[in-house]
């Protein structure tokens, strides 16, 4: 038999991507299409599941063009943990005040349900132990409660199916209502092997979801990578340009797919502290619009302010803890694009890098090196400018969506140098936020010795090096830069049963590309900067107490 392939489909925040991947993990072709995001009001972010599926079909057809369909053995989907609402006939139901049925997806970053999340936290129900003790507005229960309380007639009473976006894609592909344990355990409070806890839904006012054996939110589940249904339906196969019955592996949230794409790589010969250690000594960081910090363990570990432990949510049979930062790439863009010198930087970047693309950050990285005089001195430029990075709330380890951003050390300068320093201080703050999460995980029992990066920010060498320096840990970059797509393809490989398990597919398909080691001479600098970081948190808490006395 000749070469066989798998298709990985990744639905991110702003685009749909697909890749054709070989059995050995080589990405043969990639295609991408943008998807719409609407913001009908502040903190409301919505999308269209119809548009998303149409774009999935477009990109898959593109990557398999010219390939014998019989050699495409499996398909895997990953997506953001957004909420899709459909009626009894599986047609879209609007999640907006204007009733536009096209807009039927509440995005992961939609924070409309902050009040509902706070009220759910106040119940102190036992299921909250699996989400760090605090219900986040980015999880699905508060979003569901918001829809019931605010769009009861137009949405709630009409809705018959609530899907996490990854499960919606599996359903569109196969017609099967089977949900992945990844989505239900991580974002919906499902807890295997017991399953749903009816008392939780009743206690928060969503008792109607308990009806008919939880039919609206899923009663049949399986681990990621498990073959779903009978593979592609005739309609889905025609849309995707593949054969009817092509295997579909149970889906993952996009960050978790990134974890599969990097964590299992063979590290022999790279002189890493995780060599000859179990996979539990590794943490995957999926760094894009937001960042997810994924660590697994043999036994359940409860980390305050960190989601989990979740059984079989990423690697079947193992427990997952998921930390995160709600705004990373988005925060860097916000800080840079809103500075008065942004247009000057863009103009300079276009002159220096004449080939197509946005080279703003490459230019800023070079500019910081010229300001410092050497690469190793760049970090020290951030000694008098400090950022608290929670402009969109803190996901981990504080689990406080009310926190805001903070900058100290600003001057009246609006120069290009000033913008470069603000960019540097923002990246350093995000790295210290990762250190904050790492410390919480270590205190709970995790023994993390090496970081494995993927996602858009992993392509920024300054971002990577500063994370190594601030945490004191080496960072592994994947051989295939599109690790999330590789992780999605791993699901297809498992769905086809060409590999016996997720673990085997990870080991065979993921490979180390580059290792970035921490610069030891900067350890004391980051110890001091971390003290400033924690002091900024203390001040912010103090300001909140002053302005909101109990």
């Amino acid at each position: 038999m000749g070469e066989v392939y798998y298709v990985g489909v990744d639905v991110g925040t702003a685009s749909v991507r697909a890749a054709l991947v070989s059995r050995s993990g080589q990405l043969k072709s990639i295609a991408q299409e943008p998807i719409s995001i609407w913001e009908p009001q502040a903190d409301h972010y919505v999308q269209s599941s119809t548009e998303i599926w149409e774009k999935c079909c477009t990109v898959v057809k593109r990557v398999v063009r010219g390939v014998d369909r019989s050699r495409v053995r499996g398909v895997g989907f990953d997506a953001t943990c957004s909420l899709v609402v459909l009626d009894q006939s599986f047609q879209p139901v609007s999640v907006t005040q204007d009733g536009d049925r096209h807009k039927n997806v509440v995005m992961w970053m939609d924070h409309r349900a902050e009040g509902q999340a706070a009220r759910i936290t106040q119940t102190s129900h036992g299921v909250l132990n699996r989400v760090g003790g605090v219900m986040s507005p980015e999880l699905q229960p508060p979003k569901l409660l918001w829809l019931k309380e605010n769009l009861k007639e137009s949405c709630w009473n009409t809705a018959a199916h609530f899907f996490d976006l990854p499960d919606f894609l599996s359903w569109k592909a196969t017609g099967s209502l089977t949900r992945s344990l990844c989505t239900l355990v991580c974002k919906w409070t499902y807890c295997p092997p017991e399953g749903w806890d009816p008392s939780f839904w009743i206690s928060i006012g969503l008792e109607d979801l308990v009806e008919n054996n939880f039919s609206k939110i899923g009663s049949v589940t399986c681990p990621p990578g498990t073959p779903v249904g009978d593979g592609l339906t005739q309609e889905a196969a025609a849309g995707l340009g593949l054969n009817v019955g092509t295997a579909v592996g149970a889906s993952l949230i996009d960050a978790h797919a990134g974890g599969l794409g990097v964590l299992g790589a063979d590290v022999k010969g790279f002189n890493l502290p995780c060599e000859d250690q179990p996979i539990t000594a590794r943490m995957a960081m999926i760094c894009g619009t937001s960042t997810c910090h994924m660590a697994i363990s043999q036994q359940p570990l409860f980390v305050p302010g960190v989601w989990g432990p979740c059984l079989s949510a990423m690697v079947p049979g193992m427990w997952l803890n998921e930390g995160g930062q709600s705004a990373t790439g988005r925060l860097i863009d916000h800080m840079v694009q809103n500075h008065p010198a942004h247009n000057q930087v863009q103009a300079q970047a276009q002159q220096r890098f004449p080939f197509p693309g946005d080279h703003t950050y490459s230019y800023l990285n070079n500019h910081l090196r010229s300001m410092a005089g050497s690469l190793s001195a760049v970090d020290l430029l951030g000694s008098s400018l400090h950022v608290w990075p929670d402009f969109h709330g803190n996901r981990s380890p504080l689990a406080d969506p009310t926190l805001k951003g903070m900058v100290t050390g600003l001057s009246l300068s609006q120069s290009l140098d000033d913008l470069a320093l603000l960019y540097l201080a923002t990246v350093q703050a995000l790295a210290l936020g990762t250190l904050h999460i790492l410390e919480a995980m270590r205190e709970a029992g995790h023994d993390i010795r090496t970081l494995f990066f993927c996602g858009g920010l992993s392509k920024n060498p300054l971002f990577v090096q500063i994370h190594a320096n601030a945490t004191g840990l080496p960072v592994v970059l994947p051989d295939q830069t599109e690790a999330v797509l590789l992780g999605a393809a791993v699901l297809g490989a498992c769905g086809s049963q060409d590999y016996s398990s997720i673990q085997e597919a990870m080991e065979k398909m993921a490979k180390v590309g580059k290792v970035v080691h921490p610069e030891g001479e900067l350890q004391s600098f980051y110890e001091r900067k971390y003290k400033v970081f924690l002091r900024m948190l203390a001040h912010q808490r103090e300001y909140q107490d002053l302005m909101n006395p109990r």
Side-chain angles (χ1 to χ4, degrees):
M1 190 170 85
E3 179 73 278
V4 296
Y5 302 100
Y6 314 100
V7 173
V9 182
D10 165 48
V11 179
T13 299
S15 67
V16 176
R17 301 181 306 152
L20 185 70
V21 182
S22 72
R23 183 175 169 84
S24 63
Q26 294 299 309
L27 274 67
K28 299 297 185 179
S29 60
I30 298 175
Q32 178 171 323
E33 284 285 324
I35 47 177
S36 305
I37 299 173
W38 294 278
E39 188 180 2
Q41 57 194 89
D43 280 336
H44 290 223
Y45 296 95
V46 299
Q47 291 182 312
S48 162
S49 66
T50 302
E51 180 193 24
I52 288 170
W53 179 252
E54 288 172 351
K55 294 298 178 71
C56 286
C57 293
T58 299
V59 293
V60 172
K61 277 183 173 176
R62 201 176 297 160
V63 298
V64 300
R65 189 177 297 146
V67 175
D68 182 347
R69 294 183 183 186
S70 66
R71 295 196 174 182
V72 180
R73 299 268 302 148
V75 183
F77 295 92
D78 74 73
T80 63
C81 50
S82 300
L83 176 67
V84 182
V85 187
L86 303 179
D87 66 15
Q88 191 69 46
S89 301
F90 294 96
Q91 297 303 305
V93 177
S94 176
V95 295
T96 61
Q97 301 280 4
D98 64 11
D100 184 349
R101 290 171 63 91
H102 191 61
K103 301 168 183 173
N104 71 314
V105 180
V106 183
M107 291 185 69
W108 66 270
M109 63 185 186
D110 186 304
H111 276 206
R112 71 179 72 179
E114 283 189 1
Q116 286 77 10
R119 280 161 32 212
I120 293 172
T121 297
Q122 288 168 5
T123 67
S124 300
H125 195 282
V127 301
L128 297 176
N129 292 333
R130 304 285 179 175
V131 291
V134 178
M135 179 58 66
S136 166
E138 294 179 13
L139 302 184
Q140 306 302 9
K143 292 176 181 174
L144 292 164
L145 185 56
W146 189 95
L147 292 174
K148 181 175 182 178
E149 293 179 344
N150 293 274
L151 298 176
K152 188 167 185 180
E153 295 300 324
S154 62
C155 175
W156 190 259
N157 291 345
T158 305
H161 303 280
F162 297 102
F163 288 98
D164 220 277
L165 183 53
D167 290 321
F168 165 81
L169 298 174
S170 295
W171 167 75
K172 282 293 287 185
T174 67
S176 171
L177 292 173
T178 300
R179 267 44 169 211
S180 169
L181 285 175
C182 176
T183 56
L184 293 194
V185 174
C186 292
K187 309 300 177 185
W188 295 71
T189 74
Y190 189 88
C191 184
E194 297 87 359
W196 296 114
D197 186 333
S199 68
F200 167 69
W201 298 102
I202 294 167
S203 72
I204 66 172
L206 293 179
E207 61 282 346
D208 22 2
L209 295 182
V210 177
E211 297 170 1
N212 300 318
N213 191 28
F214 299 93
S215 63
K216 290 185 178 181
I217 57 175
S219 57
V220 180
T221 65
C222 67
T226 304
V228 179
D230 296 318
L232 293 180
T233 64
Q234 188 168 354
E235 181 180 359
L240 296 166
L242 294 171
N243 284 341
V244 175
T246 301
V248 176
S251 59
L252 282 171
I253 298 165
D254 53 350
H256 301 61
L260 291 193
V262 295
L263 271 185
D266 183 357
V267 298
K268 286 185 174 62
F270 288 93
N271 193 30
L272 288 166
C274 66
E275 186 175 347
D276 299 323
Q277 297 294 318
I279 197 171
T280 53
R282 310 176 182 195
M283 184 168 82
M285 284 182 56
I286 296 81
C287 317
T289 304
S290 63
T291 292
C292 296
H293 303 70
M294 323 287 285
I296 55 179
S297 57
Q298 295 283 0
Q299 301 298 325
L301 298 175
F302 292 85
V303 187
V306 171
W307 296 337
C310 302
L311 180 61
S312 297
M314 186 170 75
V315 179
M318 301 193 77
W319 297 85
L320 171 72
N321 282 112
E322 179 187 351
Q325 295 164 305
S326 292
T328 46
R330 189 172 171 221
L331 176 63
I332 294 170
D333 288 344
H334 174 79
M335 300 296 265
V336 170
Q337 292 170 5
N338 286 285
H339 192 279
H342 177 240
N343 289 339
Q344 181 185 356
V345 167
Q346 279 194 311
Q348 298 274 16
Q350 287 173 359
Q351 288 181 8
R352 182 155 186 174
F353 304 98
F355 41 94
D358 183 357
H359 304 289
T360 299
Y361 297 112
S362 295
Y363 180 82
L364 286 172
N365 292 350
N366 286 337
H367 190 76
L368 285 166
R369 280 195 290 271
S370 66
M371 289 174 65
S374 69
L375 181 61
S376 59
V378 166
D379 301 60
L380 303 179
L381 294 172
S383 59
S384 59
L385 185 62
H386 310 281
V387 174
W388 179 265
D390 291 326
F391 285 48
H392 197 53
N394 183 282
R395 188 186 297 169
S396 305
L398 305 172
D400 186 349
T402 69
L403 281 179
K404 306 299 180 189
M406 195 174 184
V407 185
T408 182
L410 291 171
S411 71
L412 287 173
S413 171
Q414 296 182 345
S415 68
L416 195 156
D417 284 2
D418 178 65
L419 170 53
L421 291 176
L422 184 61
Y423 160 63
L424 172 66
T426 302
V427 173
Q428 289 178 327
L430 292 169
L432 294 171
T434 290
L435 177 60
H436 202 197
I437 293 167
L438 272 169
E439 290 201 340
M441 287 186 165
R442 285 167 174 159
E443 287 175 14
H446 281 284
D447 180 22
I448 296 163
R449 305 185 184 194
T450 308
L451 305 179
F452 287 70
F453 274 30
C454 67
L457 286 174
S458 69
K459 301 170 189 176
N460 182 332
L462 182 80
F463 183 88
V464 174
Q465 186 65 64
I466 285 177
H467 271 75
N469 294 344
T471 62
L473 297 178
V475 175
V476 174
L477 299 174
D479 175 54
Q480 301 292 322
T481 56
E482 304 296 346
V484 176
L485 283 168
L486 177 62
V490 165
L491 298 174
C494 290
S496 72
Q497 300 181 306
D498 286 351
Y499 287 108
S500 62
S501 67
I502 287 276
Q503 290 93 325
E504 183 191 5
M506 287 168 64
E507 291 168 7
K508 295 289 175 59
M509 297 175 73
K511 296 175 179 63
V512 175
K514 180 182 178 183
V515 175
V516 177
H517 291 281
E519 297 167 318
E521 67 271 18
L522 292 169
Q523 181 179 350
S524 61
F525 169 77
Y526 277 105
E527 287 174 354
R528 296 193 304 274
K529 194 156 177 90
Y530 188 54
K531 289 178 181 178
V532 175
F533 182 83
L534 296 179
R535 196 163 296 176
M536 291 176 78
L537 170 62
H539 284 315
Q540 186 165 168
R541 295 286 201 211
E542 183 182 352
Y543 301 153
Q544 284 183 330
D545 290 343
L546 283 171
M547 297 308 298
N548 301 289
R550 295 192 176 99

